[in-house]
Amino acid sequence: MDQVNEPVKEGREHVLAIACRIMAGVSPVAAANSQTQHPFPTPSPFSFSVTSSRWSSRPSIDHTTLFLRFLLLLFSFISALSLAAPSTKKKDQRSPSFTEYPELIYCFIVAILAFLYAAFQLFKGICDIAHRGILISDKTSDYLSFVLDQLVGYLLISSSSVAIPIIRQVEKSTPVRKGTITSTSMSFATFLVIAICALFSGYKLCKRTVW
């Protein structure tokens, strides 16, 4: 009798175990299948490296170019102010003014043009970062910046080369001579900055057209 009752007891215990699982909200089939399921693969940290680099590379170039445009604006403003300030503050009426030299007038005009161009590029760069493509399309902006950077760079280096002989002609210890030296130095520094901007513009243009 005991041997006959043992299978019956085991069957009851199995039924009770299934009933407890059902009451707990776990399906027996799901409990059996859960043992055979494999865990989800952990994504590799290197899978996002390519995507993140694409998103982070362009903003870094834009921010660097924006900082260079700000330096271009500052240096060109100092260059123009260095020539204009001695004329407005001269104490001696016999002291010459930069307007008496056509070469210095040319340097002053180039400095003003570089200042206006830097202000335009700075405003466009801020608009491109805040609202991309709302002012000028990216393709047009790359072509325009590449051409104008070289043009303004040529004007700056030509004005610096023209102003160097004038420094020797102007009398020493005069405000115009000091202003011309400062303006020429700032003009050459502006040329170096815009040369770097032209390299960035050429890189972005080649990346858009070739790559």
Side-chain angles (χ1 to χ4, degrees):
M1 293 294 292
D2 294 336
Q3 295 178 356
V4 176
N5 292 331
E6 287 180 359
V8 177
K9 290 180 180 180
E10 292 178 356
R12 289 179 180 177
E13 292 176 357
H14 183 66
V15 171
L16 289 175
I18 294 175
C20 291
R21 290 180 180 179
I22 293 174
M23 292 177 64
V26 179
S27 175
V29 178
N33 293 334
S34 63
Q35 298 178 357
T36 61
Q37 290 179 354
H38 298 284
F40 293 101
T42 304
S44 174
F46 299 100
S47 60
F48 301 99
S49 61
V50 178
T51 304
S52 61
S53 62
R54 290 177 181 175
W55 284 100
S56 61
S57 60
R58 182 155 190 173
S60 63
I61 295 177
D62 291 341
H63 294 160
T64 304
T65 306
L66 193 64
F67 176 72
L68 292 174
R69 300 295 183 187
F70 173 75
L71 291 180
L72 180 63
L73 181 72
L74 180 63
F75 291 164
S76 59
F77 176 75
I78 296 175
S79 179
L81 185 64
S82 300
L83 288 176
S87 299
T88 57
K89 294 183 179 181
K90 61 180 181 179
K91 298 179 180 179
D92 189 1
Q93 296 297 329
R94 294 174 297 176
S95 179
S97 173
F98 82 95
T99 56
E100 299 178 7
Y101 302 91
E103 295 84 356
L104 296 183
I105 295 177
Y106 171 73
C107 295
F108 180 77
I109 294 174
V110 170
I112 293 297
L113 291 177
F115 175 79
L116 295 177
Y117 174 69
F120 167 74
Q121 286 286 356
L122 190 63
F123 174 75
K124 184 178 71 65
I126 295 175
C127 290
D128 288 342
I129 293 176
H131 309 284
R132 184 170 298 279
I134 192 173
L135 185 62
I136 300 176
S137 63
D138 292 340
K139 186 176 182 180
T140 305
S141 176
D142 292 341
Y143 277 104
L144 189 64
S145 299
F146 180 71
V147 174
L148 292 180
D149 284 345
Q150 297 185 58
L151 179 60
V152 176
Y154 171 76
L155 293 176
L156 287 170
I157 196 63
S158 64
S159 65
S160 299
S161 61
V162 164
I164 291 176
I166 301 300
I167 296 176
R168 300 177 181 178
Q169 298 179 10
V170 180
E171 297 179 0
K172 296 182 179 180
S173 66
T174 56
V176 176
R177 181 185 174 87
K178 297 178 182 178
T180 304
I181 294 174
T182 305
S183 177
T184 305
S185 302
M186 288 294 101
S187 180
F188 185 73
T190 308
F191 166 75
L192 294 178
V193 174
I194 203 168
I196 300 175
C197 292
L199 291 177
F200 277 108
S201 301
Y203 167 76
K204 293 169 67 175
L205 185 61
C206 290
K207 186 177 179 181
R208 180 176 300 277
T209 57
V210 178
W211 299 347

